[in-house]
Amino acid sequence: MAKASIPVDLFNPGQVFACLGFLEAADVLCGNAEGSFDWAAPTNVRFHIRAATGANPVERVLEFLARATVLSEAPRGSTLGTSKWSVETQYREEGDPFPFPLPDSPATLPAILEEVQTQGGQSPVKIPINHWGEDRRKTSRDNVKFWAGAGGYPGAALARDALDIVRSRCAEAAEDPFSLAAEQSSSFRLDWRRDYVPMEIGFSLNEHGNISTIGYPLVEILAAIGLTHARPLRQRALEYRYGVVAAPDPEAELLDISLLRAAIGGETKLPFPQRTFRMSLDWPGQENQAKCIVRVIEEHG
């Protein structure tokens, strides 16, 4: 088994979700992924990850992202598609279950990251992103959809855009992937370092054509992957709770992926060291459209 370690800011929800994204992707690509947060050194908080194959799991995930094609997915016979945004749509076979009820528009069709294998005869490796299609009334899980999809811009196109920004730089980011910055005009709004509320800073960047926003595309795409099987707990419209868990000795033993998924909601009490955080959001534009993270505090007691 191969192991890797990367720095993480626990007060950045996107980075926490992105750690789980690394774990989810490594589980698909390498098998038997395990992980642990490690805050033993307060000034050097780390996320440890281990997987079955001999390849460094962080490097393998970044290699996948550098080569992946982004597709959308729809049920067989559906008229929904994302070709308008230059994203190919794959249609499932008849009877193949769809992950959620068919949406009203292509904006929330699932995205699929697909890596075609170089060795002949092997099926493509696929990693889905579909959390934004969740119906909280039916599953009791929030969809954590902070982007508005202006003009119906689909999540699959946002994922494609994020990857295209950093494909050529993925390999250089293995030591500290969450610090890889680039100009980014739109995102899933999971990393709060890019976002702002115009009323708080006193002006809107949209009114100044010579100002660009700097985002963290790897955090955005990996956080979206991380939300596939785990969600922060929505406590009210603009407030969520999330948690992290650590192995007793992360240098020696890591935790099964299911335990890190369970911890994200901030409610499950596990027999391991845990920390919980509360994140507050606000409306950067019109109310009830896009949301952005504005504050994170740690809960105690």
Side-chain angles (χ1 to χ4, degrees):
M1 297 185 79
K3 184 178 177 183
S5 171
I6 56 175
V8 56
D9 177 4
L10 298 182
F11 289 85
N12 184 323
Q15 290 190 23
V16 171
F17 306 152
C19 287
L20 196 57
F22 263 119
L23 203 59
E24 297 286 1
D27 198 53
V28 173
L29 298 168
C30 306
N32 299 321
E34 300 173 325
S36 174
F37 291 92
D38 180 1
W39 53 83
T43 59
N44 185 29
V45 179
R46 313 285 296 183
F47 182 71
H48 302 282
I49 179 172
R50 181 170 58 198
T53 64
N56 178 306
V58 168
E59 292 178 355
R60 177 65 185 97
V61 171
L62 293 175
E63 176 189 65
F64 168 83
L65 294 179
R67 292 163 39 178
T69 299
V70 181
L71 312 166
S72 68
E73 190 174 49
R76 175 68 61 184
S78 169
T79 58
L80 295 180
T82 53
S83 60
K84 173 182 175 181
W85 298 274
S86 302
V87 177
E88 179 187 346
T89 301
Q90 286 186 345
Y91 292 91
R92 290 197 171 199
E93 295 300 322
E94 196 71 39
D96 190 4
F98 202 62
F100 47 75
L102 186 65
D104 296 329
S105 81
T108 51
L109 286 175
I112 302 293
L113 308 186
E114 180 179 277
E115 179 191 50
V116 177
Q117 299 297 282
T118 55
Q119 299 179 5
Q122 291 188 341
S123 299
V125 177
K126 299 183 179 182
I127 295 178
I129 304 175
N130 54 32
H131 65 88
W132 49 62
E134 196 89 38
D135 186 339
R136 187 165 58 92
R137 295 167 298 180
K138 297 180 178 180
T139 66
S140 299
R141 298 200 310 180
D142 191 78
N143 63 14
V144 196
K145 182 178 178 292
F146 298 162
W147 49 279
Y153 202 70
L158 284 175
R160 185 269 320 275
D161 295 346
L163 281 185
D164 284 351
I165 293 171
V166 293
R167 285 183 193 277
S168 63
R169 301 171 59 196
C170 282
E172 71 187 54
E175 294 297 319
D176 189 5
F178 301 155
S179 70
L180 182 60
E183 287 189 14
Q184 189 175 20
S185 59
S186 58
S187 74
F188 295 128
R189 296 185 176 273
L190 295 171
D191 189 316
W192 67 335
R193 290 175 290 179
R194 192 194 74 90
D195 291 320
Y196 70 99
V197 177
M199 288 293 290
E200 291 189 357
I201 68 172
F203 68 98
S204 172
L205 298 186
N206 293 334
E207 303 298 324
H208 300 271
N210 59 341
I211 300 179
S212 301
T213 52
I214 300 299
Y216 297 83
L218 280 180
V219 174
E220 297 285 353
I221 195 72
L222 284 161
I225 294 171
L227 293 171
T228 301
H229 299 297
R231 310 287 162 73
L233 177 67
R234 174 177 168 171
Q235 299 195 296
R236 52 186 62 88
L238 295 175
E239 188 171 281
Y240 289 76
R241 190 183 195 207
Y242 68 94
V244 295
V245 64
D249 182 3
E251 293 293 340
E253 198 72 30
L254 301 183
L255 302 174
D256 186 81
I257 189 172
S258 61
L259 297 174
L260 283 95
R261 290 171 178 165
I264 284 292
E267 288 273 284
T268 304
K269 300 299 181 184
L270 299 170
F272 305 104
Q274 289 180 261
R275 293 171 68 177
T276 58
F277 302 83
R278 189 179 302 271
M279 62 172 173
S280 300
L281 296 89
D282 204 342
W283 311 110
Q286 187 173 339
E287 190 170 330
N288 294 321
Q289 292 191 359
K291 294 176 279 191
C292 66
I293 303 165
V294 293
R295 282 179 297 280
V296 176
I297 61 171
E298 184 168 6
E299 296 182 333
H300 298 281

